């Protein structure tokens, strides 16, 4: 049964010529670019949140909420959703893909409006990876099918499929060491050895960009199912989200959080990539990058704290 979604009132729609399809398998659409409402000028006061030992954030591609939530093609995703918090009003901040990844990682689209081949280390920060490292914590990004650890080229073919740097924002920041830009093959089998925060990006098929929902759902179970089972008893979280929907103005995306201290059930709190970044920062008492300073962190889903 599909979960009801709260309608989203968008503040503006700006025409964009590009789409995620400027890479492989995008279908050549040229939709309107959609941005969230302007943020208030006053920074949001921090709230008390839990402090997990590990957070893993996995990003899929280009699916509207209703294409996944309640769909028979996503049985594992929906089984996870039943175990955690399900966001019925979660949105991307724009179209196409790359600016959304940058927004989630750094609180800014960094002036990027397409799916571009950026030079490695182009931006100085601030960003989530750099904030964690400066605070004495750890970060790593794991990209499936990236040819090698520390890979800096814009595209490549590794084990299992195609890799594209447009889905790898940590590569773009000079304050994140090359050693933290890892292949998914390097994802620890002993989950206690994971960094404080990890981002995981499947390849261009398994992330549902070039292939269907069923493919991504099967990958999620095979690739992170063991971690999802481990996390609740080990003070850890799994965040499953998407960069954007399939180019609608509403841009409503599937998002769930599963793990220790999370109340199961749907929540209508509106979140976007800036709110998710703000939440990750507040979990560890980090400073706030870019628009995350004006975003409200996720509340109401925790068994302790806010």
């Amino acid at each position: 049964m599909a979960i009801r979604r709260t309608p989203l009132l968008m503040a503006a729609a700006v025409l964009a010529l590009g789409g995620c399809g400027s890479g492989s398998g995008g279908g050549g659409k040229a939709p309107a670019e959609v941005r969230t409402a302007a943020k208030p000028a006053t920074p949001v006061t921090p709230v008390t949140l839990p402090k997990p030992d590990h957070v893993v954030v996995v990003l899929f591609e280009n699916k509207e909420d209703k294409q996944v939530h309640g769909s028979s093609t996503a049985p594992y995703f929906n089984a996870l959703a039943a175990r955690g918090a399900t966001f019925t009003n979660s949105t991307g901040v724009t179209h196409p893909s790359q600016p959304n990844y940058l927004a989630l990682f750094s609180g800014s689209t960094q002036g990027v409006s397409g799916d571009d081949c950026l030079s490695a280390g182009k931006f100085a920060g601030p960003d989530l990876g750099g904030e964690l490292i400066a605070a004495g914590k750890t970060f790593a990004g794991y990209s499936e099918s990236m040819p090698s650890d520390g890979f800096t080229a814009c595209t490549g073919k590794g084990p299992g499929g195609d890799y594209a740097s447009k889905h790898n924002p940590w590569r773009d920041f000079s304050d994140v060491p090359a050693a933290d830009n890892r292949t998914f093959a390097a994802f620890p089998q002993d989950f206690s050895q994971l960094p404080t925060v990890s981002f995981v990006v499947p390849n261009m098929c398994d992330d549902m960009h070039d292939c269907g929902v069923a493919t991504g759902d099967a990958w999620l179970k095979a690739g992170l199912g063991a971690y999802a089972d481990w996390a609740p008893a080990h003070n850890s979280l799994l965040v499953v989200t998407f960069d954007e929907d399939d180019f609608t103005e509403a841009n409503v995306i599937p998002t769930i959080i599963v793990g220790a201290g999370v109340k199961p059930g749907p929540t209508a709190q509106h979140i976007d990539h800036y709110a998710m970044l703000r939440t990750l920062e507040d979990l560890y008492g980090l400073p706030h990058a870019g628009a995350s300073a004006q975003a409200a962190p996720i509340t109401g889903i925790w068994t302790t704290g806010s």
Side-chain angles (χ1 to χ4, degrees), residues 124-293:
D127 57 81
L128 178 61
E131 289 172 348
L132 285 161
I133 293 165
K137 303 185 185 304
T138 50
F139 168 81
Y142 299 92
S143 297
E144 188 190 22
S145 299
M146 190 170 70
S148 61
D149 292 341
F151 188 73
T152 59
C154 290
T155 58
K157 184 179 287 291
D162 294 327
Y163 159 84
S165 68
K166 64 184 178 178
H167 299 162
N168 178 350
W170 47 93
R171 163 201 175 273
D172 302 331
F173 288 85
S174 60
D175 60 351
V176 179
D180 293 340
N181 180 25
R182 305 175 188 172
T183 66
F184 186 59
F187 192 82
Q189 297 302 302
D190 177 357
F191 302 132
S192 68
Q193 300 303 305
L194 279 164
T196 309
V197 177
S198 306
F199 275 36
V200 174
V201 176
N203 66 34
M204 295 283 286
C205 175
D206 291 332
D207 68 1
M208 308 186 199
H209 180 284
D210 294 350
C211 301
V213 171
T215 297
D217 188 73
W219 184 92
L220 179 61
K221 182 177 182 179
L224 291 174
Y227 173 78
D229 294 339
W230 178 89
H234 294 86
N235 192 34
S236 297
L237 299 175
L238 173 64
V239 178
V240 183
T241 191
F242 285 66
D243 64 334
E244 59 176 327
D245 74 356
D246 57 346
F247 295 95
T248 73
E249 290 190 5
N251 209 1
V252 180
I253 57 175
T255 298
I256 58 176
I257 299 179
V258 180
V262 177
K263 299 175 186 176
T267 173
Q269 177 185 359
H270 173 243
I271 63 169
D272 60 12
H273 296 316
Y274 299 132
M276 183 63 74
L277 173 59
R278 170 62 181 260
T279 304
L280 294 170
E281 291 168 332
D282 282 1
L283 290 175
Y284 300 105
L286 303 175
H288 302 124
S292 73

Side-chain angles (χ1 to χ4, degrees), residues 64-183:
E64 191 177 354
D65 179 67
K66 65 184 179 183
Q67 293 176 281
V68 179
H69 277 143
S71 171
S72 62
T73 61
Y76 184 70
F77 181 95
N78 285 286
L80 277 183
R83 292 160 49 184
T86 303
F87 293 84
T88 61
N89 193 11
S90 173
T91 64
V93 302
T94 188
H95 298 299
S97 289
Q98 190 172 32
N100 287 288
Y101 285 82
L102 292 166
L104 177 57
F105 192 67
S106 71
S108 171
T109 62
Q110 303 295 335
V112 175
S113 59
D115 286 331
D116 300 332
C117 180
L118 303 176
S119 58
K122 178 179 177 65
F123 307 118
D127 57 81
L128 178 61
E131 289 172 348
L132 285 161
I133 293 165
K137 303 185 185 304
T138 50
F139 168 81
Y142 299 92
S143 297
E144 188 190 22
S145 299
M146 190 170 70
S148 61
D149 292 341
F151 188 73
T152 59
C154 290
T155 58
K157 184 179 287 291
D162 294 327
Y163 159 84
S165 68
K166 64 184 178 178
H167 299 162
N168 178 350
W170 47 93
R171 163 201 175 273
D172 302 331
F173 288 85
S174 60
D175 60 351
V176 179
D180 293 340
N181 180 25
R182 305 175 188 172
T183 66

